[in-house]
Structures are given as structure tokens and as C-alpha cells.
Amino acid sequence: MKSNVLKYVISIMLCLLFIGCIVTSVNADDSSDLTMLSLSKGGIVINYPSDWGYSQATSQYSIMSISKLDSIDALGVGQVNINIEKKPLEGDFYTFVNDTYKSMSKDSSFELISSGEVTLKDMAALEYIYTSSQNDTTVKEHKAVWFEKGGQAYVLLYSAPLDQFESNLYVFDYILTDIQIN
């Protein structure tokens, strides 16, 4: 009888040890070795996680662009990206930005979700959230935050396919709170 109880206790202990090893293994796989990287260009400094990388942007006004590394397609284009642009300001800042979105609203592939004033590093800024479709197949959501500095209009633009927008938004939001503007 004592032998059966001892075997039973040892079996339970081994099961608990085995389960503990599995849980530890799963937790170890969940934690990654992400580090923060820094990028400085055009008077802007951003910090971002190492699962994102510097990328090229097609806009002539782009001063820096990063993409989530696992979102880069076969053509080398990041489908989840953050682009920072600097444009010469023509006239009043608010009119300049609002006119940009008025002209976009004439395009049927564009849908404005929300717009309004926000604060970025103690500066007045404008935020626009909208969707756009490319070739009637890929729908992306965008969040743009505009601010004025030194006669220039800056925009930080986050773009991602609809199904990836919310899950990666935290990186853009972090950059907004941590950005250094010189």
C-alpha cells in the first residue's frame, strides 16, 4: 500500500515538473530579445523596437521611414510602416493641412474616419485617421499627426492593412510620446 502511494506521489510530482517545464518553455518563447533602436534625421529623433527597421519611402518629402520587418512583402515594401515627412508650409498651417484632406476626400478610395486637434510634445497638432484602398483590393488604415515647426509642416504617418492596424498602433503611439524635435 505504501509503495502504491509513493508511486502515486512521485507520478504527480513528475507531472507537475513536466507541466512546469512546458509553461517555462512557452513563456521563454513569448519573451523576445527586442531592443530599442534610434533614428535621427532632419531634426527628428525617434526610438523604435528592433522588430522594425529603416526603410525607403516613395514620397519626395520623406525624411525617415520605418517598417515592421515581418510585414515586408516580396517587392521589399513594408505593409506596416511609419513615415515622417517635412513639407514647405504654404500659408496658414491649419488651412494647409485641412486642404490636403479636402482634396483627398474627392478620391473614392479615401474615407475620413476622424479628425481633430491633439497635443504633441506641448505643441498644437492635428490628427487625421482615415482608410484608403489600393487597386480595390488592399484596404489600409492610416493615422496622421501634423505639426508646424520653423515654417515647415511635419507629418508622422502610420499605415497598416486593416487587420494589422490596431495590433501595431502601440509603436506609433510610443513614437508620438517619445519623439524628440530639434
Side-chain angles (χ1 to χ4, degrees), residues 42-105:
I44 303 286
V45 179
I46 62 168
N47 295 301
Y48 59 94
S50 59
D51 61 341
W52 288 63
Y54 183 76
S55 58
Q56 295 297 323
T58 57
S59 170
Q60 68 183 25
Y61 300 107
S62 182
I63 55 175
M64 68 175 79
S65 183
I66 59 172
S67 295
K68 186 158 186 199
L69 295 176
D70 66 2
S71 78
I72 297 174
D73 64 17
L75 299 173
V77 177
Q79 297 303 305
V80 178
N81 61 12
I82 298 169
N83 189 36
I84 302 173
E85 298 181 4
K86 178 170 68 171
K87 297 180 178 185
L89 185 56
E90 301 165 5
D92 174 68
F93 172 71
Y94 290 93
T95 303
F96 176 75
V97 175
N98 288 323
D99 285 350
T100 299
Y101 290 94
K102 282 181 188 171
S103 66
M104 289 172 66
S105 67

Side-chain angles (χ1 to χ4, degrees), residues 4-181:
N4 287 340
V5 170
L6 184 59
K7 286 180 185 177
Y8 179 73
V9 169
I10 290 174
S11 295
I12 290 175
M13 289 175 60
L14 287 174
C15 286
L16 291 173
L17 180 63
F18 180 71
I19 291 170
C21 289
I22 291 173
V23 169
T24 301
S25 174
V26 168
N27 288 339
D29 290 342
D30 287 344
S31 66
S32 60
D33 293 325
L34 289 179
T35 57
M36 294 304 284
L37 303 174
S38 185
L39 184 57
S40 176
K41 205 169 179 187
I44 303 286
V45 179
I46 62 168
N47 295 301
Y48 59 94
S50 59
D51 61 341
W52 288 63
Y54 183 76
S55 58
Q56 295 297 323
T58 57
S59 170
Q60 68 183 25
Y61 300 107
S62 182
I63 55 175
M64 68 175 79
S65 183
I66 59 172
S67 295
K68 186 158 186 199
L69 295 176
D70 66 2
S71 78
I72 297 174
D73 64 17
L75 299 173
V77 177
Q79 297 303 305
V80 178
N81 61 12
I82 298 169
N83 189 36
I84 302 173
E85 298 181 4
K86 178 170 68 171
K87 297 180 178 185
L89 185 56
E90 301 165 5
D92 174 68
F93 172 71
Y94 290 93
T95 303
F96 176 75
V97 175
N98 288 323
D99 285 350
T100 299
Y101 290 94
K102 282 181 188 171
S103 66
M104 289 172 66
S105 67
K106 296 175 185 170
D107 181 350
S108 63
S109 66
F110 168 87
E111 182 181 344
L112 182 63
I113 296 171
S114 68
S115 64
E117 293 186 23
V118 294
T119 302
L120 176 67
K121 294 289 184 178
D122 297 325
M123 295 185 299
L126 294 173
E127 177 184 89
Y128 285 81
I129 299 175
Y130 60 96
T131 60
S132 67
S133 59
Q134 300 167 341
N135 303 328
D136 293 327
T137 57
T138 304
V139 178
K140 284 190 166 188
E141 189 165 348
H142 312 272
K143 181 176 181 179
V145 175
W146 292 79
F147 67 94
E148 176 185 7
K149 181 158 174 82
Q152 301 286 314
Y154 290 80
V155 62
L156 285 74
L157 176 63
Y158 165 59
S159 299
L162 284 177
D163 64 340
Q164 297 176 52
F165 185 84
E166 287 297 326
S167 63
N168 292 290
L169 183 59
Y170 73 96
V171 174
F172 184 70
D173 289 340
Y174 173 79
I175 288 172
L176 290 175
T177 60
D178 187 63
I179 193 168
Q180 298 169 32
I181 305 163

